[in-house]
Amino acid sequence: MEFEDWILKLIYLPKFTQKMKNLVEELRWRGLIHDMMPGTEEQLLKEPTTVYIGFDPTSDSLHIGSLVPIILLMHLRKFGHRPIALVGGATGMIGDPSGKSNERNLLDEATLNHNVNGIKAVLSRFLDFNAKDATAPILVNNYDWMKDFSFINFARDVGKRITVNYMMAKDSVKKRLSGDEGGEGMSFTEFTYQLIQGYDFYHLNKEYNCLLQMGGSDQWGNITTGTELVRRMNVDNEERSKAYAMTCPLITKADGSKFGKSEGGNVWLDADKTSPYKFYQFWLNTTDVDAEKYIKIFTFLDKDTVEKLIAEHNEAPHLRILQKRLAEELMLLVHSKEDLDSAIFASGAFLVKIWKI
């Protein structure tokens, strides 16, 4: 039996190692890495790693800005790692202060539960949480473990691990306290957000051996608080104290305007909020510069295919080859082939109508 195990390891380990290497290269050439904690790349290259990304339920759906973390989870799954999607039923009660000049309005419990269920439904369209293999995606709600904490116990067991000095050094806190963003300071409620998110990392590390948290670049402070809390909560266990962080850039448009909005507001992933036709048109109308960036970030087309598409587009920009392929891939990912065909037909019919006029 030992000999058979050795043979299997000899056969599959090189292939597995190559898959890990490809993941890191994949994220880099696609422009999906902003910050990375030392040791993160080595961990991802070494073995299948459990990784989590959080989604706060500020709405009952997700818009296209959330496609980046969703796609990251899909890449991780594709290359042999185990993704965890966390819906913030607890953190959503507080609101993330990162990048905000004023405190969010607190949601009532009914609205929050409605939003949590909506986001779970959206995530389930991209990740199979019913899969049974070793790296099957996991869907969790941090309210499930935070609801049992009393304030006193949380302050004693978790709060004493991280100093106020450490928390105040985070950009999300400093900007609010200094008034750089024109707000009214920060309440104690929002100040505790990074500590609660940090505990999420510790809990997932303990329950699922989760070693890495990923998110947008604005989450770097919250994520590194999590790695620090994992380390301090496991100070007597060197192996269990390992935790890593990685962020991706926040997506912007070439002209500096906010990504993910059309004339009608946010571009949502649900058809009842943004019709497939409008969704298709959003990608079709991107600029050449943005289309070249977005086709790397939002599709799973390989590097050779992308480079060929860019070369073809540059030879005849008026044909909008990049925009058409980008819109097609996103329609197939988010909606369906039928929706794509309908959107193409509707777009053609509109052009014919304009031409006749």
Side-chain angles (χ1 to χ4, degrees), residues 20-296:
M20 297 302 101
K21 181 180 179 182
N22 284 346
L23 170 63
V24 176
E25 293 174 354
E26 191 85 1
L27 297 181
R28 283 199 173 117
W29 81 260
R30 291 184 182 277
L32 283 171
I33 296 179
H34 187 271
D35 289 306
M36 188 188 304
M37 184 172 285
T40 302
E41 182 173 351
E42 290 77 6
Q43 173 60 37
L44 288 171
L45 292 170
K46 183 176 70 173
E47 61 187 357
T49 303
T50 300
V51 184
Y52 102 88
I53 297 178
F55 300 83
D56 265 354
T58 54
S59 175
D60 61 357
S61 182
L62 296 171
H63 53 73
I64 57 175
S66 302
L67 263 181
V68 178
I70 291 173
I71 285 171
L72 282 174
L73 291 173
M74 295 173 74
H75 277 301
L76 288 160
R77 168 71 162 151
K78 180 180 178 183
F79 288 104
H81 300 292
R82 187 173 202 182
I84 297 179
L86 180 148
V87 181
T91 40
M93 292 182 171
I94 295 173
D96 185 0
S98 301
K100 302 296 179 184
S101 59
N102 287 301
E103 188 160 349
R104 297 175 187 266
N105 292 325
L106 297 181
L107 301 175
D108 61 73
E109 188 172 350
T111 301
L112 193 64
N113 289 336
H114 173 74
N115 290 354
V116 166
N117 291 331
I119 290 176
K120 284 182 176 181
V122 173
L123 292 171
S124 297
R125 288 158 47 192
F126 300 94
L127 296 161
D128 181 8
F129 297 110
N130 294 316
K132 302 298 182 184
D133 57 283
T135 59
I138 301 170
L139 180 63
V140 296
N141 179 353
N142 61 8
Y143 182 75
D144 291 340
W145 55 85
M146 291 304 303
K147 70 179 187 296
D148 297 324
F149 258 118
S150 71
F151 177 79
I152 292 175
N153 287 341
F154 189 82
R156 284 177 55 87
D157 298 340
V158 182
K160 69 178 181 179
R161 312 284 180 167
I162 302 290
T163 66
V164 171
N165 305 55
Y166 179 89
M167 295 173 69
M168 290 186 68
K170 302 297 184 179
D171 285 342
S172 60
V173 176
K174 287 194 296 185
K175 288 180 180 179
R176 288 284 290 276
L177 294 182
S178 66
D180 289 348
E181 297 184 352
E184 301 177 351
M186 175 181 284
S187 69
F188 175 76
T189 302
E190 281 194 328
F191 185 63
T192 62
Y193 184 95
Q194 64 171 291
L195 199 57
I196 297 174
Q197 181 171 324
Y199 185 80
D200 288 342
F201 199 169
Y202 168 73
H203 176 86
L204 296 176
N205 174 269
K206 180 177 66 174
E207 296 297 323
Y208 300 102
N209 193 32
C210 179
L211 299 181
L212 170 62
Q213 182 182 173
M214 298 175 73
S217 57
D218 61 334
Q219 289 294 306
W220 181 252
N222 291 335
I223 294 173
T224 52
T225 295
T227 64
E228 187 66 12
L229 189 60
V230 169
R231 186 182 70 81
R232 295 187 184 189
M233 296 282 279
N234 292 298
V235 68
D236 296 326
N237 188 331
E238 183 179 352
E239 188 62 30
R240 296 292 297 178
S241 67
K242 294 178 181 177
Y244 305 97
M246 182 192 296
T247 61
C248 61
L250 296 180
I251 308 304
T252 57
K253 291 184 179 181
D255 63 4
S257 60
K258 190 170 182 179
F259 169 78
K261 287 183 177 290
S262 65
E263 292 182 2
N266 284 328
V267 179
W268 297 93
L269 303 182
D270 279 331
D272 61 344
K273 291 181 178 290
T274 298
S275 71
Y277 173 76
K278 288 184 177 179
F279 185 87
Y280 177 78
Q281 286 293 319
F282 174 84
W283 300 103
L284 196 63
N285 291 324
T286 55
T287 66
D288 290 346
V289 174
D290 286 334
E292 185 171 331
K293 179 172 70 172
Y294 295 166
I295 203 162
K296 297 174 184 176

Side-chain angles (χ1 to χ4, degrees), residues 316-331:
H318 64 284
L319 297 178
R320 302 184 70 76
I321 293 171
L322 273 181
Q323 286 90 338
K324 289 177 181 177
R325 186 60 183 271
L326 176 66
E328 176 185 333
E329 293 294 324
L330 267 296
M331 284 293 289

